């Protein structure tokens, strides 16, 4: 059947490699990763104004993950991110972790994980946000409409892709959030997976070991402490993403 097809469009270079190993001719394979609507990230609003509108704290550095907490019943590395943030918070108290996307029935599990390690937390609704108190260390935001995603990303100081190492995330996923993060012009911490490496490298993000909260904390702290390096990576990523517009 494969021999009779005119071609294959795949998301990642790993998927192309698998087809090559099955004897598919290279000229029949096109690697076309996900992309982003760059216009969605154009705004004249300041980070402070965006946070006021969202009910997010103004006087802290926001480390943000945007996306559902779990997918297809499997974790997306958010538990490890919470553990990493405990290390971050101990070394850099003027920071908060913002986990956007819920859904609400999954938030309870991760609230319990925050409780275990002594991180205060609160939930706000994405549709009717209320002001978060300054002492909150982990902010859970329930499901938001897709059109609101860029606003939360633009309001962040650091954006994180915490995916664990498994076959799906390593080889078969080209995450929309990666391109959104790049378009937001906010520095990125991402786990070291082949599918991530298709797009990001050390010139566009801080790359950390998957499943290693200590290394993730190291990456987050680097961006919080070194504004010049953070700006360099964010600008490079924002320029690169111009090649990945819908």
């Amino acid at each position: 059947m494969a021999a009779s097809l005119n071609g294959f469009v795949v998301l990642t270079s790993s998927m192309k490699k698998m087809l090559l190993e099955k004897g598919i001719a290279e000229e029949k394979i096109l690697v076309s990763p996900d992309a982003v609507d760059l216009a969605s990230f154009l705004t004249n609003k300041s980070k402070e104004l965006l946070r006021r509108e969202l009910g997010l704290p103004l006087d802290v550095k926001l480390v943000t993950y945007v996306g559902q907490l779990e997918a297809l019943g499997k974790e997306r590395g958010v538990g490890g991110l919470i553990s990493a943030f405990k290390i971050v918070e101990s070394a850099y108290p003027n920071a908060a972790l913002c986990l956007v996307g819920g859904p609400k029935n999954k938030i309870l599990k991760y609230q319990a994980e925050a409780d275990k390690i002594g991180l205060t937390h609160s939930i706000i609704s994405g549709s009717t946000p209320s002001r978060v108190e300054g002492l909150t260390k982990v902010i859970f935001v329930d499901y938001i409409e897709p059109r609101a995603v860029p606003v939360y990303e633009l309001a962040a100081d650091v954006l994180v892709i915490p995916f664990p190492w498994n076959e799906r995330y390593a080889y078969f996923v080209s995450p929309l959030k990666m391109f959104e993060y790049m378009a937001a012009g906010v520095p990125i911490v991402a786990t070291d997976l082949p599918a991530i490496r298709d797009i990001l490298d050390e010139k566009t993000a801080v790359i950390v070991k998957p499943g290693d909260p200590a290394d993730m904390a190291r990456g987050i702290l680097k961006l919080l402490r070194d504004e010049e390096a953070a700006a360099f990576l964010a600008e490079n990523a924002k320029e690169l993403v111009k090649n990945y517009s819908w």
Side-chain angles (χ1 to χ4, degrees), residues 46 62 64 70 101 125 159 190-191 234 238:
S46 67
L62 270 185
T64 300
E70 297 181 1
S125 166
L159 290 165
T191 46
K238 191 172 183 178

Side-chain angles (χ1 to χ4, degrees), residues 32-213:
S32 182
D34 275 325
V36 65
D37 177 9
L38 296 175
S40 299
F41 290 85
L42 298 176
T43 181
N44 293 322
K45 295 180 179 180
S46 67
K47 198 181 294 285
E48 178 181 346
L49 180 56
L50 292 173
R51 289 192 188 181
R52 286 187 186 280
E53 293 177 348
L54 296 171
L56 297 173
L58 306 177
D59 55 349
V60 299
K61 294 289 188 178
L62 270 185
V63 179
T64 300
Y65 164 85
V66 180
Q68 292 195 1
L69 299 175
E70 297 181 1
L72 302 176
K74 296 187 180 297
E75 295 196 6
R76 309 185 85 185
V78 175
L81 175 55
I82 292 172
S83 296
F85 187 74
K86 178 64 176 179
I87 301 171
V88 170
E89 190 269 339
S90 297
Y92 197 102
N94 191 39
L97 177 63
C98 187
L99 304 173
V100 182
K104 200 165 187 177
N105 65 327
K106 299 294 183 184
I107 289 176
L108 293 176
K109 170 183 174 180
Y110 294 97
Q111 282 183 304
E113 294 195 21
D115 277 333
K116 283 181 185 177
I117 56 177
L119 290 173
T120 57
H121 53 81
S122 62
I123 302 179
I124 62 176
S125 166
S127 57
T128 55
S130 56
R131 176 66 50 199
V132 174
E133 297 298 330
L135 295 177
T136 299
K137 289 299 178 181
V138 184
I139 303 160
F140 293 93
V141 181
D142 197 5
Y143 171 80
I144 59 172
E145 295 292 335
R147 59 184 169 78
V149 166
V151 186
Y152 280 93
E153 291 166 344
L154 289 163
D157 293 295
V158 175
L159 290 165
V160 185
I161 305 172
F163 291 164
W165 181 283
N166 61 43
E167 188 177 61
R168 179 171 184 265
Y169 290 123
Y171 305 121
F172 299 115
V173 172
S174 179
L176 285 169
K177 72 172 83 299
M178 175 165 60
F179 301 97
E180 292 168 350
Y181 287 6
M182 294 166 74
V186 174
I188 300 166
V189 174
T191 46
D192 194 356
L193 304 174
I196 299 293
R197 286 279 189 180
D198 276 354
I199 309 297
L200 297 176
D201 60 18
E202 284 78 8
K203 293 181 180 179
T204 48
V206 173
I207 308 294
V208 299
K209 299 173 186 175
D212 187 336

Side-chain angles (χ1 to χ4, degrees), residues 10-17 31-33 171-174 195 198:
V10 297
L11 288 171
T12 68
S13 62
S14 296
M15 296 170 75
K16 176 181 178 179
K17 182 179 178 183
V31 178
S32 182
Y171 305 121
F172 299 115
V173 172
S174 179
D198 276 354

Side-chain angles (χ1 to χ4, degrees), residues 233-245:
L233 294 173
E235 187 58 36
N236 286 349
K238 191 172 183 178
E239 184 64 27
L240 177 62
V241 82
K242 293 176 182 178
N243 298 323
Y244 299 98
S245 167

